[in-house]
């Protein structure tokens, strides 16, 4: 099985997931840097996640969900509507 990376994401799943993160961040009035601080993720990595340039790990999904005050599943439901 081929390794999934942003370059192989033909369905733009990572872009949609990143857009979901960005929408929740903006709704909370957080800067990207503030979200990264709350989630304990490097700011530049957070930017890459929001742009769909990096494949997010499970632990980072949990950190981001806590930082934007939602369930992890909410990040997915928003990105696949």
């Amino acid at each position: 099985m081929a390794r999934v990376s942003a370059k192989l994401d033909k369905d733009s799943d990572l872009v949609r997931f990143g857009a979901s993160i960005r929408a929740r961040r903006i709704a909370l009035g957080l800067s990207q840097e503030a979200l990264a601080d709350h989630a304990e993720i490097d700011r530049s990595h957070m930017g890459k996640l929001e742009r769909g340039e990096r494949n997010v790990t499970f632990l980072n999904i949990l950190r981001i969900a806590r930082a934007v005050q939602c369930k992890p599943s909410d990040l997915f439901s928003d990105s696949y509507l």
Side-chain angles (χ1 to χ4, degrees), residues 5-72:
S5 71
K7 293 178 184 175
L8 297 176
D9 184 19
K10 295 176 184 157
D11 296 324
S12 300
D13 293 325
L14 294 174
V15 172
R16 286 197 306 269
F17 186 75
S20 176
I21 294 169
R22 182 180 297 120
R24 288 200 173 259
R25 172 179 63 78
I26 291 170
L28 290 171
L30 293 173
S31 68
Q32 196 175 77
E33 186 173 5
L35 173 57
D37 286 343
H38 289 305
E40 299 180 352
I41 296 172
D42 183 80
R43 188 212 45 83
S44 64
H45 188 66
M46 182 63 73
K48 291 175 185 175
L49 293 176
E50 282 193 4
R51 291 188 300 274
E53 295 173 357
R54 298 297 301 254
N55 197 357
V56 63
T57 66
F58 178 70
L59 291 176
N60 282 345
I61 291 169
L62 296 177
R63 289 176 179 148
I64 292 166
R66 284 186 205 110
V68 295
Q69 304 166 4
C70 72
K71 297 181 292 187

